[in-house]
Amino acid sequence: GENVEQHPSTLSVQEGDSAVIKCTYSDSASNYFPWYKQELGKRPQLIIDIRSNVGEKKDQRIAVTLNKTAKHFSLHITETQPEDSAVYFCASNDLSGSARQLTFGSGTQLTVLP
Amino acid sequence: KAGVTQTPRYLIKTRGQQVTLSCSPISGHRSVSWYQQTPGQGLQFLFEYFSETQRNKGNFPGRFSGRQFSNSRSEMNVSTLELGDSALYLCASSFRTSGRLQTDTQYFGPGTRLTVL
């Protein structure tokens, strides 16, 4: 089955700096890659996603890049703010079949220091 | 639109008991997936229901089961509870489509925090 590895497990940055979180996946059939943000005690919330036919996607301060050949994708957050502090999860899914499931990475605790 | 809702939000049970958790998806969403979240194992897929049929199942014992009703609401059941079943159980709904414009963006509910004593 699919395996998603996520690094780093913890990340501290100064406010205003950029943060990068990286994930690798194992199943070449995976074609959909969402990123979720989970604040303490809250539900995971989708912040951005990308499909395998696209190499990069950007939404204001957040961007995701995908390298299908290397089977890795990354989340980039620019101009970080204290409210960006949370746990971030990457995930993968194969939308081509009838059996679907999100396979999650282990999460990255991002702390933005004021 | 109202988001995904889950009831109850908190549950305390003892070993050997059984529990039923409920999930109401976003209006119009026909797919409901369930996940278990623990500090040690992270977010793990339990099962997915679409059009009242289980479409996929994760690597969990048969004590974990679920169902989906005609209004897309879903329930999951855990029988013979063990201490290790203590976790946050999350459901997610999606407007699942197939074909060329396939989509499966999943939106999570707030979860049910289950504690097994």
Side-chain angles (χ1 to χ4, degrees):
Chain A
E2 170 74 303
N3 182 50
V4 177
E5 294 192 358
Q6 183 172 345
H7 299 280
S9 56
T10 60
L11 179 60
S12 292
V13 299
Q14 289 294 138
E15 183 177 357
D17 286 351
S18 295
V20 181
I21 302 171
K22 299 182 179 181
C23 290
T24 59
Y25 61 98
S26 61
D27 189 350
S28 56
S30 293
N31 51 29
Y32 173 67
F33 306 92
W35 285 87
Y36 286 87
K37 173 184 179 182
Q38 188 175 29
E39 297 175 79
L40 189 63
K42 301 283 184 67
R43 71 187 76 190
Q45 292 202 302
L46 179 74
I47 55 171
I48 196 167
D49 56 8
I50 192 169
R51 297 174 188 276
S52 59
N53 60 347
V54 175
E56 184 174 359
K57 184 177 178 181
K58 191 173 181 181
D59 182 4
Q60 298 183 333
R61 297 187 296 109
I62 294 173
V64 57
T65 59
L66 171 65
N67 183 326
K68 281 192 299 183
T69 304
K71 292 188 200 160
H72 67 70
F73 56 112
S74 301
L75 177 71
H76 305 252
I77 306 174
T78 59
E79 301 172 18
T80 53
Q81 301 166 3
E83 52 264 38
D84 294 331
S85 296
V87 179
Y88 290 81
F89 293 95
C90 62
S92 71
N93 201 346
D94 173 11
L95 302 187
S96 61
S98 61
R100 299 180 182 177
Q101 68 180 76
L102 283 174
T103 301
F104 284 90
S106 54
T108 296
Q109 173 69 64
L110 174 64
T111 303
V112 180
L113 305 169
Chain B
K1 273 187 183 178
V4 180
T5 58
Q6 292 186 244
T7 57
R9 294 292 311 279
Y10 302 91
L11 264 179
I12 299 176
K13 293 285 186 179
T14 57
R15 280 180 298 173
Q17 288 187 307
Q18 74 158 19
V19 66
T20 299
L21 313 181
S22 180
C23 173
S24 292
I26 293 170
S27 177
H29 286 190
R30 294 166 58 197
S31 169
V32 174
S33 298
W34 289 88
Y35 297 86
Q36 182 195 65
Q37 186 173 27
T38 60
Q41 298 298 317
L43 276 155
Q44 293 190 291
F45 171 77
L46 281 155
F47 26 66
E48 186 220 0
Y49 286 87
F50 178 68
S51 293
E52 302 177 62
T53 302
Q54 187 181 90
R55 302 293 176 144
N56 199 6
K57 190 178 194 312
N59 189 25
F60 279 82
R63 300 184 297 106
F64 292 81
S65 63
R67 59 178 176 168
Q68 186 179 36
F69 303 95
S70 58
N71 61 357
S72 295
R73 190 177 69 85
S74 177
E75 289 181 345
M76 69 163 280
N77 185 278
V78 188
S79 62
T80 319
L81 284 166
E82 301 177 359
L83 295 178
D85 296 334
S86 294
L88 180 67
Y89 290 88
L90 292 158
C91 77
S93 78
S94 71
F95 185 74
R96 190 196 210 261
T97 64
S98 58
R100 189 165 165 271
L101 296 177
Q102 56 195 226
T103 182
D104 196 19
T105 304
Q106 297 191 21
Y107 299 91
F108 283 85
T112 294
R113 172 74 62 185
L114 173 65
T115 302
V116 182
L117 302 176

